[in-house]
PDB file of all heavy atoms in Angstrom:
ATOM      1  N   SER V   1      10.964  -3.213 -28.389  1.00  0.00           N
ATOM      2  CA  SER V   1      12.132  -2.942 -27.547  1.00  0.00           C
ATOM      3  C   SER V   1      13.373  -3.234 -28.229  1.00  0.00           C
ATOM      4  O   SER V   1      13.537  -4.201 -28.989  1.00  0.00           O
ATOM      5  CB  SER V   1      11.977  -3.783 -26.273  1.00  0.00           C
ATOM      6  OG  SER V   1      10.781  -3.763 -25.729  1.00  0.00           O
ATOM      7  N   SER V   2      14.470  -2.549 -27.921  1.00  0.00           N
ATOM      8  CA  SER V   2      15.806  -2.746 -28.605  1.00  0.00           C
ATOM      9  C   SER V   2      16.840  -2.303 -27.573  1.00  0.00           C
ATOM     10  O   SER V   2      16.694  -1.508 -26.610  1.00  0.00           O
ATOM     11  CB  SER V   2      15.982  -2.129 -29.833  1.00  0.00           C
ATOM     12  OG  SER V   2      17.251  -2.408 -30.352  1.00  0.00           O
ATOM     13  N   SER V   3      18.082  -2.677 -27.798  1.00  0.00           N
ATOM     14  CA  SER V   3      19.246  -2.385 -26.907  1.00  0.00           C
ATOM     15  C   SER V   3      20.575  -2.301 -27.790  1.00  0.00           C
ATOM     16  O   SER V   3      20.774  -3.041 -28.615  1.00  0.00           O
ATOM     17  CB  SER V   3      19.513  -3.620 -25.948  1.00  0.00           C
ATOM     18  OG  SER V   3      20.541  -3.287 -25.044  1.00  0.00           O
ATOM     19  N   ALA V   4      21.314  -1.165 -27.570  1.00  0.00           N
ATOM     20  CA  ALA V   4      22.447  -0.801 -28.373  1.00  0.00           C
ATOM     21  C   ALA V   4      23.640  -1.850 -28.325  1.00  0.00           C
ATOM     22  O   ALA V   4      24.234  -2.047 -29.276  1.00  0.00           O
ATOM     23  CB  ALA V   4      22.957   0.584 -27.960  1.00  0.00           C
ATOM     24  N   HIS V   5      23.875  -2.444 -27.136  1.00  0.00           N
ATOM     25  CA  HIS V   5      25.063  -3.263 -27.003  1.00  0.00           C
ATOM     26  C   HIS V   5      24.958  -4.567 -27.783  1.00  0.00           C
ATOM     27  O   HIS V   5      26.056  -5.268 -27.722  1.00  0.00           O
ATOM     28  CB  HIS V   5      25.388  -3.447 -25.494  1.00  0.00           C
ATOM     29  CG  HIS V   5      24.532  -4.421 -24.789  1.00  0.00           C
ATOM     30  ND1 HIS V   5      25.056  -5.696 -24.546  1.00  0.00           N
ATOM     31  CD2 HIS V   5      23.338  -4.313 -24.224  1.00  0.00           C
ATOM     32  CE1 HIS V   5      24.122  -6.334 -23.843  1.00  0.00           C
ATOM     33  NE2 HIS V   5      23.142  -5.557 -23.665  1.00  0.00           N
ATOM     34  N   LYS V   6      23.792  -5.009 -28.328  1.00  0.00           N
ATOM     35  CA  LYS V   6      23.794  -6.036 -29.151  1.00  0.00           C
ATOM     36  C   LYS V   6      24.203  -5.820 -30.599  1.00  0.00           C
ATOM     37  O   LYS V   6      24.338  -6.765 -31.339  1.00  0.00           O
ATOM     38  CB  LYS V   6      22.318  -6.581 -29.166  1.00  0.00           C
ATOM     39  CG  LYS V   6      21.735  -6.821 -27.758  1.00  0.00           C
ATOM     40  CD  LYS V   6      22.340  -7.937 -27.010  1.00  0.00           C
ATOM     41  CE  LYS V   6      21.543  -8.261 -25.707  1.00  0.00           C
ATOM     42  NZ  LYS V   6      22.212  -9.336 -24.910  1.00  0.00           N
ATOM     43  N   ILE V   7      24.355  -4.617 -31.008  1.00  0.00           N
ATOM     44  CA  ILE V   7      24.691  -4.176 -32.347  1.00  0.00           C
ATOM     45  C   ILE V   7      25.920  -3.397 -32.414  1.00  0.00           C
ATOM     46  O   ILE V   7      26.036  -2.465 -33.227  1.00  0.00           O
ATOM     47  CB  ILE V   7      23.527  -3.636 -33.089  1.00  0.00           C
ATOM     48  CG1 ILE V   7      23.037  -2.317 -32.376  1.00  0.00           C
ATOM     49  CG2 ILE V   7      22.416  -4.609 -33.208  1.00  0.00           C
ATOM     50  CD1 ILE V   7      22.153  -1.433 -33.290  1.00  0.00           C
ATOM     51  N   ASN V   8      26.895  -3.652 -31.584  1.00  0.00           N
ATOM     52  CA  ASN V   8      28.175  -2.909 -31.598  1.00  0.00           C
ATOM     53  C   ASN V   8      28.028  -1.425 -31.004  1.00  0.00           C
ATOM     54  O   ASN V   8      28.799  -0.599 -31.449  1.00  0.00           O
ATOM     55  CB  ASN V   8      28.941  -2.958 -32.939  1.00  0.00           C
ATOM     56  CG  ASN V   8      29.115  -4.370 -33.435  1.00  0.00           C
ATOM     57  OD1 ASN V   8      28.456  -4.839 -34.327  1.00  0.00           O
ATOM     58  ND2 ASN V   8      30.058  -5.118 -32.783  1.00  0.00           N
ATOM     59  N   GLY V   9      26.998  -1.218 -30.212  1.00  0.00           N
ATOM     60  CA  GLY V   9      26.911  -0.027 -29.558  1.00  0.00           C
ATOM     61  C   GLY V   9      27.158  -0.100 -28.077  1.00  0.00           C
ATOM     62  O   GLY V   9      27.685  -1.131 -27.713  1.00  0.00           O
ATOM     63  N   PRO V  10      27.030   1.047 -27.378  1.00  0.00           N
ATOM     64  CA  PRO V  10      27.427   1.014 -25.921  1.00  0.00           C
ATOM     65  C   PRO V  10      26.360   0.298 -25.031  1.00  0.00           C
ATOM     66  O   PRO V  10      25.223   0.201 -25.512  1.00  0.00           O
ATOM     67  CB  PRO V  10      27.483   2.560 -25.683  1.00  0.00           C
ATOM     68  CG  PRO V  10      26.569   3.219 -26.684  1.00  0.00           C
ATOM     69  CD  PRO V  10      26.634   2.398 -27.852  1.00  0.00           C
ATOM     70  N   LYS V  11      26.799   0.042 -23.958  1.00  0.00           N
ATOM     71  CA  LYS V  11      25.863  -0.551 -22.967  1.00  0.00           C
ATOM     72  C   LYS V  11      25.150   0.538 -22.254  1.00  0.00           C
ATOM     73  O   LYS V  11      25.589   1.668 -22.159  1.00  0.00           O
ATOM     74  CB  LYS V  11      26.604  -1.549 -21.938  1.00  0.00           C
ATOM     75  CG  LYS V  11      27.310  -2.694 -22.517  1.00  0.00           C
ATOM     76  CD  LYS V  11      28.217  -3.423 -21.587  1.00  0.00           C
ATOM     77  CE  LYS V  11      28.801  -4.680 -22.234  1.00  0.00           C
ATOM     78  NZ  LYS V  11      29.730  -4.339 -23.302  1.00  0.00           N
ATOM     79  N   GLY V  12      23.947   0.169 -21.665  1.00  0.00           N
ATOM     80  CA  GLY V  12      23.198   1.131 -20.827  1.00  0.00           C
ATOM     81  C   GLY V  12      22.267   2.119 -21.652  1.00  0.00           C
ATOM     82  O   GLY V  12      21.828   3.129 -21.098  1.00  0.00           O
ATOM     83  N   ILE V  13      22.020   1.788 -22.986  1.00  0.00           N
ATOM     84  CA  ILE V  13      21.117   2.642 -23.777  1.00  0.00           C
ATOM     85  C   ILE V  13      20.260   1.683 -24.542  1.00  0.00           C
ATOM     86  O   ILE V  13      20.765   0.683 -25.178  1.00  0.00           O
ATOM     87  CB  ILE V  13      21.933   3.636 -24.521  1.00  0.00           C
ATOM     88  CG1 ILE V  13      20.929   4.504 -25.259  1.00  0.00           C
ATOM     89  CG2 ILE V  13      22.762   3.009 -25.537  1.00  0.00           C
ATOM     90  CD1 ILE V  13      20.236   5.535 -24.378  1.00  0.00           C
ATOM     91  N   GLY V  14      19.005   1.932 -24.702  1.00  0.00           N
ATOM     92  CA  GLY V  14      18.077   1.248 -25.522  1.00  0.00           C
ATOM     93  C   GLY V  14      16.959   2.139 -25.998  1.00  0.00           C
ATOM     94  O   GLY V  14      16.982   3.326 -25.764  1.00  0.00           O
ATOM     95  N   PHE V  15      15.970   1.687 -26.626  1.00  0.00           N
ATOM     96  CA  PHE V  15      14.822   2.383 -26.923  1.00  0.00           C
ATOM     97  C   PHE V  15      13.550   1.527 -26.887  1.00  0.00           C
ATOM     98  O   PHE V  15      13.568   0.331 -27.002  1.00  0.00           O
ATOM     99  CB  PHE V  15      14.949   3.193 -28.322  1.00  0.00           C
ATOM    100  CG  PHE V  15      14.875   2.168 -29.448  1.00  0.00           C
ATOM    101  CD1 PHE V  15      13.637   1.816 -29.986  1.00  0.00           C
ATOM    102  CD2 PHE V  15      15.965   1.815 -30.280  1.00  0.00           C
ATOM    103  CE1 PHE V  15      13.571   1.021 -31.174  1.00  0.00           C
ATOM    104  CE2 PHE V  15      15.854   1.028 -31.375  1.00  0.00           C
ATOM    105  CZ  PHE V  15      14.711   0.704 -31.839  1.00  0.00           C
ATOM    106  N   LEU V  16      12.505   2.233 -26.729  1.00  0.00           N
ATOM    107  CA  LEU V  16      11.060   1.657 -26.908  1.00  0.00           C
ATOM    108  C   LEU V  16      10.464   2.430 -28.030  1.00  0.00           C
ATOM    109  O   LEU V  16      10.267   3.655 -27.957  1.00  0.00           O
ATOM    110  CB  LEU V  16      10.263   1.687 -25.635  1.00  0.00           C
ATOM    111  CG  LEU V  16       8.853   1.097 -25.724  1.00  0.00           C
ATOM    112  CD1 LEU V  16       8.970  -0.417 -26.046  1.00  0.00           C
ATOM    113  CD2 LEU V  16       8.092   1.280 -24.450  1.00  0.00           C
ATOM    114  N   TYR V  17      10.057   1.791 -29.099  1.00  0.00           N
ATOM    115  CA  TYR V  17       9.253   2.326 -30.124  1.00  0.00           C
ATOM    116  C   TYR V  17       7.744   2.165 -29.714  1.00  0.00           C
ATOM    117  O   TYR V  17       7.332   1.231 -29.250  1.00  0.00           O
ATOM    118  CB  TYR V  17       9.335   1.612 -31.455  1.00  0.00           C
ATOM    119  CG  TYR V  17       8.226   1.769 -32.399  1.00  0.00           C
ATOM    120  CD1 TYR V  17       7.934   2.866 -33.194  1.00  0.00           C
ATOM    121  CD2 TYR V  17       7.253   0.647 -32.575  1.00  0.00           C
ATOM    122  CE1 TYR V  17       6.851   3.022 -33.911  1.00  0.00           C
ATOM    123  CE2 TYR V  17       6.173   0.801 -33.288  1.00  0.00           C
ATOM    124  CZ  TYR V  17       6.000   1.975 -34.134  1.00  0.00           C
ATOM    125  OH  TYR V  17       4.809   2.064 -34.957  1.00  0.00           O
ATOM    126  N   ILE V  18       7.100   3.338 -29.660  1.00  0.00           N
ATOM    127  CA  ILE V  18       5.662   3.339 -29.328  1.00  0.00           C
ATOM    128  C   ILE V  18       4.920   3.968 -30.426  1.00  0.00           C
ATOM    129  O   ILE V  18       4.993   5.153 -30.676  1.00  0.00           O
ATOM    130  CB  ILE V  18       5.393   4.039 -27.882  1.00  0.00           C
ATOM    131  CG1 ILE V  18       6.223   3.595 -26.801  1.00  0.00           C
ATOM    132  CG2 ILE V  18       3.940   4.045 -27.568  1.00  0.00           C
ATOM    133  CD1 ILE V  18       6.242   4.484 -25.536  1.00  0.00           C
ATOM    134  N   ARG V  19       4.026   3.218 -30.973  1.00  0.00           N
ATOM    135  CA  ARG V  19       3.255   3.772 -32.096  1.00  0.00           C
ATOM    136  C   ARG V  19       2.361   4.859 -31.734  1.00  0.00           C
ATOM    137  O   ARG V  19       1.808   4.892 -30.628  1.00  0.00           O
ATOM    138  CB  ARG V  19       2.303   2.720 -32.774  1.00  0.00           C
ATOM    139  CG  ARG V  19       1.511   3.133 -33.948  1.00  0.00           C
ATOM    140  CD  ARG V  19       0.604   1.968 -34.500  1.00  0.00           C
ATOM    141  NE  ARG V  19       1.329   0.908 -35.060  1.00  0.00           N
ATOM    142  CZ  ARG V  19       1.866   0.954 -36.258  1.00  0.00           C
ATOM    143  NH1 ARG V  19       1.713   2.042 -37.086  1.00  0.00           N
ATOM    144  NH2 ARG V  19       2.578  -0.150 -36.762  1.00  0.00           N
ATOM    145  N   LYS V  20       2.277   5.965 -32.594  1.00  0.00           N
ATOM    146  CA  LYS V  20       1.467   7.098 -32.201  1.00  0.00           C
ATOM    147  C   LYS V  20      -0.029   6.617 -32.062  1.00  0.00           C
ATOM    148  O   LYS V  20      -0.477   5.981 -32.789  1.00  0.00           O
ATOM    149  CB  LYS V  20       1.606   8.160 -33.347  1.00  0.00           C
ATOM    150  CG  LYS V  20       1.044   9.466 -32.951  1.00  0.00           C
ATOM    151  CD  LYS V  20       1.251  10.468 -34.120  1.00  0.00           C
ATOM    152  CE  LYS V  20       0.739  11.800 -33.857  1.00  0.00           C
ATOM    153  NZ  LYS V  20       0.832  12.818 -34.848  1.00  0.00           N
ATOM    154  N   GLY V  21      -0.611   7.136 -30.924  1.00  0.00           N
ATOM    155  CA  GLY V  21      -1.939   6.821 -30.583  1.00  0.00           C
ATOM    156  C   GLY V  21      -2.055   5.752 -29.491  1.00  0.00           C
ATOM    157  O   GLY V  21      -3.111   5.522 -28.915  1.00  0.00           O
ATOM    158  N   VAL V  22      -0.881   4.982 -29.322  1.00  0.00           N
ATOM    159  CA  VAL V  22      -0.975   3.995 -28.168  1.00  0.00           C
ATOM    160  C   VAL V  22      -0.789   4.780 -26.916  1.00  0.00           C
ATOM    161  O   VAL V  22       0.034   5.530 -26.663  1.00  0.00           O
ATOM    162  CB  VAL V  22       0.215   2.969 -28.324  1.00  0.00           C
ATOM    163  CG1 VAL V  22       0.352   2.063 -27.066  1.00  0.00           C
ATOM    164  CG2 VAL V  22       0.105   2.241 -29.621  1.00  0.00           C
ATOM    165  N   LYS V  23      -1.760   4.521 -25.948  1.00  0.00           N
ATOM    166  CA  LYS V  23      -1.985   5.467 -24.884  1.00  0.00           C
ATOM    167  C   LYS V  23      -1.213   4.807 -23.591  1.00  0.00           C
ATOM    168  O   LYS V  23      -1.899   4.463 -22.630  1.00  0.00           O
ATOM    169  CB  LYS V  23      -3.434   5.595 -24.532  1.00  0.00           C
ATOM    170  CG  LYS V  23      -4.176   6.364 -25.624  1.00  0.00           C
ATOM    171  CD  LYS V  23      -5.684   6.421 -25.353  1.00  0.00           C
ATOM    172  CE  LYS V  23      -6.407   7.309 -26.393  1.00  0.00           C
ATOM    173  NZ  LYS V  23      -6.411   6.695 -27.690  1.00  0.00           N
ATOM    174  N   ILE V  24       0.073   4.603 -23.631  1.00  0.00           N
ATOM    175  CA  ILE V  24       0.617   4.092 -22.513  1.00  0.00           C
ATOM    176  C   ILE V  24       1.328   5.263 -21.766  1.00  0.00           C
ATOM    177  O   ILE V  24       1.800   6.254 -22.285  1.00  0.00           O
ATOM    178  CB  ILE V  24       1.658   2.963 -22.814  1.00  0.00           C
ATOM    179  CG1 ILE V  24       3.032   3.499 -23.294  1.00  0.00           C
ATOM    180  CG2 ILE V  24       1.089   1.925 -23.715  1.00  0.00           C
ATOM    181  CD1 ILE V  24       4.046   2.348 -23.339  1.00  0.00           C
ATOM    182  N   ARG V  25       1.503   5.137 -20.385  1.00  0.00           N
ATOM    183  CA  ARG V  25       1.948   6.224 -19.470  1.00  0.00           C
ATOM    184  C   ARG V  25       3.327   6.086 -19.226  1.00  0.00           C
ATOM    185  O   ARG V  25       4.091   5.201 -19.672  1.00  0.00           O
ATOM    186  CB  ARG V  25       1.069   6.094 -18.153  1.00  0.00           C
ATOM    187  CG  ARG V  25      -0.485   6.256 -18.387  1.00  0.00           C
ATOM    188  CD  ARG V  25      -1.182   5.829 -17.121  1.00  0.00           C
ATOM    189  NE  ARG V  25      -2.618   5.765 -17.475  1.00  0.00           N
ATOM    190  CZ  ARG V  25      -3.462   5.316 -16.562  1.00  0.00           C
ATOM    191  NH1 ARG V  25      -3.165   4.858 -15.408  1.00  0.00           N
ATOM    192  NH2 ARG V  25      -4.777   5.300 -16.856  1.00  0.00           N
ATOM    193  N   SER V  26       3.774   7.163 -18.527  1.00  0.00           N
ATOM    194  CA  SER V  26       5.319   7.022 -18.122  1.00  0.00           C
ATOM    195  C   SER V  26       5.580   5.927 -17.189  1.00  0.00           C
ATOM    196  O   SER V  26       4.750   5.405 -16.476  1.00  0.00           O
ATOM    197  CB  SER V  26       5.598   8.351 -17.349  1.00  0.00           C
ATOM    198  OG  SER V  26       5.340   9.493 -18.087  1.00  0.00           O
ATOM    199  N   PHE V  27       6.808   5.451 -17.333  1.00  0.00           N
ATOM    200  CA  PHE V  27       7.241   4.313 -16.508  1.00  0.00           C
ATOM    201  C   PHE V  27       8.197   4.965 -15.424  1.00  0.00           C
ATOM    202  O   PHE V  27       8.130   4.415 -14.254  1.00  0.00           O
ATOM    203  CB  PHE V  27       8.038   3.331 -17.294  1.00  0.00           C
ATOM    204  CG  PHE V  27       8.500   2.181 -16.596  1.00  0.00           C
ATOM    205  CD1 PHE V  27       7.762   1.361 -15.778  1.00  0.00           C
ATOM    206  CD2 PHE V  27       9.949   1.870 -16.659  1.00  0.00           C
ATOM    207  CE1 PHE V  27       8.342   0.354 -15.074  1.00  0.00           C
ATOM    208  CE2 PHE V  27      10.465   0.770 -15.995  1.00  0.00           C
ATOM    209  CZ  PHE V  27       9.530  -0.021 -15.119  1.00  0.00           C
ATOM    210  N   ILE V  28       8.983   5.940 -15.792  1.00  0.00           N
ATOM    211  CA  ILE V  28       9.855   6.542 -14.849  1.00  0.00           C
ATOM    212  C   ILE V  28       9.456   8.003 -14.706  1.00  0.00           C
ATOM    213  O   ILE V  28       9.239   8.719 -15.737  1.00  0.00           O
ATOM    214  CB  ILE V  28      11.390   6.536 -15.221  1.00  0.00           C
ATOM    215  CG1 ILE V  28      11.786   5.139 -15.231  1.00  0.00           C
ATOM    216  CG2 ILE V  28      12.228   7.379 -14.473  1.00  0.00           C
ATOM    217  CD1 ILE V  28      13.197   4.897 -15.782  1.00  0.00           C
ATOM    218  N   HIS V  29       9.111   8.471 -13.488  1.00  0.00           N
ATOM    219  CA  HIS V  29       8.575   9.779 -13.274  1.00  0.00           C
ATOM    220  C   HIS V  29       9.545  10.759 -12.815  1.00  0.00           C
ATOM    221  O   HIS V  29      10.569  10.440 -12.192  1.00  0.00           O
ATOM    222  CB  HIS V  29       7.379   9.649 -12.186  1.00  0.00           C
ATOM    223  CG  HIS V  29       6.296   8.777 -12.590  1.00  0.00           C
ATOM    224  ND1 HIS V  29       5.310   8.964 -13.550  1.00  0.00           N
ATOM    225  CD2 HIS V  29       6.129   7.491 -12.227  1.00  0.00           C
ATOM    226  CE1 HIS V  29       4.540   8.025 -13.581  1.00  0.00           C
ATOM    227  NE2 HIS V  29       5.037   6.957 -12.957  1.00  0.00           N
ATOM    228  N   GLY V  30       9.437  12.022 -13.143  1.00  0.00           N
ATOM    229  CA  GLY V  30      10.298  13.196 -12.851  1.00  0.00           C
ATOM    230  C   GLY V  30      10.182  14.256 -13.739  1.00  0.00           C
ATOM    231  O   GLY V  30       9.111  14.886 -13.886  1.00  0.00           O
ATOM    232  N   GLY V  31      11.183  14.469 -14.558  1.00  0.00           N
ATOM    233  CA  GLY V  31      11.242  15.640 -15.416  1.00  0.00           C
ATOM    234  C   GLY V  31      10.348  15.323 -16.717  1.00  0.00           C
ATOM    235  O   GLY V  31       9.762  14.326 -16.940  1.00  0.00           O
ATOM    236  N   ALA V  32      10.556  16.174 -17.587  1.00  0.00           N
ATOM    237  CA  ALA V  32       9.686  16.227 -18.831  1.00  0.00           C
ATOM    238  C   ALA V  32      10.441  15.629 -20.067  1.00  0.00           C
ATOM    239  O   ALA V  32       9.970  15.913 -21.235  1.00  0.00           O
ATOM    240  CB  ALA V  32       9.118  17.683 -19.166  1.00  0.00           C
ATOM    241  N   GLN V  33      11.674  14.964 -19.865  1.00  0.00           N
ATOM    242  CA  GLN V  33      12.270  14.451 -21.004  1.00  0.00           C
ATOM    243  C   GLN V  33      11.490  13.314 -21.751  1.00  0.00           C
ATOM    244  O   GLN V  33      10.599  12.896 -21.309  1.00  0.00           O
ATOM    245  CB  GLN V  33      13.569  13.818 -20.498  1.00  0.00           C
ATOM    246  CG  GLN V  33      14.595  14.778 -19.930  1.00  0.00           C
ATOM    247  CD  GLN V  33      14.448  14.923 -18.539  1.00  0.00           C
ATOM    248  OE1 GLN V  33      13.482  14.506 -17.841  1.00  0.00           O
ATOM    249  NE2 GLN V  33      15.308  15.711 -17.804  1.00  0.00           N
ATOM    250  N   GLU V  34      11.992  13.144 -22.987  1.00  0.00           N
ATOM    251  CA  GLU V  34      11.296  12.204 -23.943  1.00  0.00           C
ATOM    252  C   GLU V  34       9.801  12.500 -24.103  1.00  0.00           C
ATOM    253  O   GLU V  34       9.019  11.544 -23.829  1.00  0.00           O
ATOM    254  CB  GLU V  34      11.582  10.759 -23.491  1.00  0.00           C
ATOM    255  CG  GLU V  34      13.097  10.327 -23.515  1.00  0.00           C
ATOM    256  CD  GLU V  34      13.627  10.425 -24.890  1.00  0.00           C
ATOM    257  OE1 GLU V  34      13.274   9.583 -25.708  1.00  0.00           O
ATOM    258  OE2 GLU V  34      14.489  11.283 -25.330  1.00  0.00           O
ATOM    259  N   ARG V  35       9.513  13.755 -24.358  1.00  0.00           N
ATOM    260  CA  ARG V  35       8.202  14.182 -24.490  1.00  0.00           C
ATOM    261  C   ARG V  35       7.289  13.722 -23.316  1.00  0.00           C
ATOM    262  O   ARG V  35       6.150  13.300 -23.511  1.00  0.00           O
ATOM    263  CB  ARG V  35       7.613  13.641 -25.815  1.00  0.00           C
ATOM    264  CG  ARG V  35       8.397  14.247 -26.978  1.00  0.00           C
ATOM    265  CD  ARG V  35       8.048  13.670 -28.445  1.00  0.00           C
ATOM    266  NE  ARG V  35       8.256  12.281 -28.510  1.00  0.00           N
ATOM    267  CZ  ARG V  35       9.467  11.686 -28.516  1.00  0.00           C
ATOM    268  NH1 ARG V  35      10.539  12.313 -28.389  1.00  0.00           N
ATOM    269  NH2 ARG V  35       9.428  10.342 -28.651  1.00  0.00           N
ATOM    270  N   LYS V  36       7.754  14.037 -22.120  1.00  0.00           N
ATOM    271  CA  LYS V  36       7.107  13.736 -20.865  1.00  0.00           C
ATOM    272  C   LYS V  36       6.706  12.342 -20.621  1.00  0.00           C
ATOM    273  O   LYS V  36       5.902  12.087 -19.781  1.00  0.00           O
ATOM    274  CB  LYS V  36       5.852  14.644 -20.804  1.00  0.00           C
ATOM    275  CG  LYS V  36       6.036  16.140 -20.947  1.00  0.00           C
ATOM    276  CD  LYS V  36       4.811  16.868 -20.732  1.00  0.00           C
ATOM    277  CE  LYS V  36       5.093  18.452 -20.951  1.00  0.00           C
ATOM    278  NZ  LYS V  36       3.907  19.232 -20.760  1.00  0.00           N
ATOM    279  N   ARG V  37       7.375  11.378 -21.274  1.00  0.00           N
ATOM    280  CA  ARG V  37       7.095   9.931 -21.152  1.00  0.00           C
ATOM    281  C   ARG V  37       8.157   9.235 -20.488  1.00  0.00           C
ATOM    282  O   ARG V  37       7.917   8.146 -19.949  1.00  0.00           O
ATOM    283  CB  ARG V  37       6.718   9.325 -22.506  1.00  0.00           C
ATOM    284  CG  ARG V  37       5.256   9.386 -22.821  1.00  0.00           C
ATOM    285  CD  ARG V  37       5.013   8.689 -24.163  1.00  0.00           C
ATOM    286  NE  ARG V  37       3.663   8.209 -24.294  1.00  0.00           N
ATOM    287  CZ  ARG V  37       3.099   7.741 -25.348  1.00  0.00           C
ATOM    288  NH1 ARG V  37       3.835   7.681 -26.438  1.00  0.00           N
ATOM    289  NH2 ARG V  37       1.895   7.202 -25.293  1.00  0.00           N
ATOM    290  N   ARG V  38       9.322   9.711 -20.343  1.00  0.00           N
ATOM    291  CA  ARG V  38      10.442   8.941 -19.651  1.00  0.00           C
ATOM    292  C   ARG V  38      11.411  10.013 -19.070  1.00  0.00           C
ATOM    293  O   ARG V  38      12.279  10.544 -19.715  1.00  0.00           O
ATOM    294  CB  ARG V  38      11.208   8.062 -20.684  1.00  0.00           C
ATOM    295  CG  ARG V  38      11.953   7.032 -20.220  1.00  0.00           C
ATOM    296  CD  ARG V  38      13.389   7.398 -19.768  1.00  0.00           C
ATOM    297  NE  ARG V  38      14.239   6.308 -19.228  1.00  0.00           N
ATOM    298  CZ  ARG V  38      15.454   6.385 -18.924  1.00  0.00           C
ATOM    299  NH1 ARG V  38      16.027   7.624 -18.886  1.00  0.00           N
ATOM    300  NH2 ARG V  38      16.169   5.377 -18.516  1.00  0.00           N
ATOM    301  N   ALA V  39      11.228  10.168 -17.753  1.00  0.00           N
ATOM    302  CA  ALA V  39      12.044  11.174 -17.039  1.00  0.00           C
ATOM    303  C   ALA V  39      13.440  10.820 -16.874  1.00  0.00           C
ATOM    304  O   ALA V  39      13.773   9.603 -17.013  1.00  0.00           O
ATOM    305  CB  ALA V  39      11.400  11.474 -15.726  1.00  0.00           C
ATOM    306  N   GLY V  40      14.255  11.826 -16.790  1.00  0.00           N
ATOM    307  CA  GLY V  40      15.688  11.620 -16.465  1.00  0.00           C
ATOM    308  C   GLY V  40      16.584  12.254 -17.518  1.00  0.00           C
ATOM    309  O   GLY V  40      16.194  12.149 -18.722  1.00  0.00           O
ATOM    310  N   THR V  41      17.702  12.915 -17.207  1.00  0.00           N
ATOM    311  CA  THR V  41      18.534  13.510 -18.217  1.00  0.00           C
ATOM    312  C   THR V  41      19.048  12.474 -19.202  1.00  0.00           C
ATOM    313  O   THR V  41      19.396  11.453 -18.782  1.00  0.00           O
ATOM    314  CB  THR V  41      19.821  14.174 -17.368  1.00  0.00           C
ATOM    315  OG1 THR V  41      19.235  15.132 -16.556  1.00  0.00           O
ATOM    316  CG2 THR V  41      20.603  14.888 -18.499  1.00  0.00           C
ATOM    317  N   GLU V  42      18.939  12.809 -20.381  1.00  0.00           N
ATOM    318  CA  GLU V  42      19.297  11.966 -21.412  1.00  0.00           C
ATOM    319  C   GLU V  42      20.754  11.547 -21.415  1.00  0.00           C
ATOM    320  O   GLU V  42      21.614  12.386 -21.180  1.00  0.00           O
ATOM    321  CB  GLU V  42      19.037  12.573 -22.872  1.00  0.00           C
ATOM    322  CG  GLU V  42      17.450  12.911 -23.177  1.00  0.00           C
ATOM    323  CD  GLU V  42      17.123  14.222 -22.780  1.00  0.00           C
ATOM    324  OE1 GLU V  42      17.850  14.925 -21.837  1.00  0.00           O
ATOM    325  OE2 GLU V  42      16.086  14.834 -23.206  1.00  0.00           O
TER     326      GLU V  42
END
């Protein structure tokens, strides 16, 4: 897990690195953004 505003980036944006093959599901449901794993307009 990481967050942009700790490294001179904007607030309200982060990322989760998920190694290929790790079978975790969507956390936020809705559209097909982020390869169908995280819904919501980018």
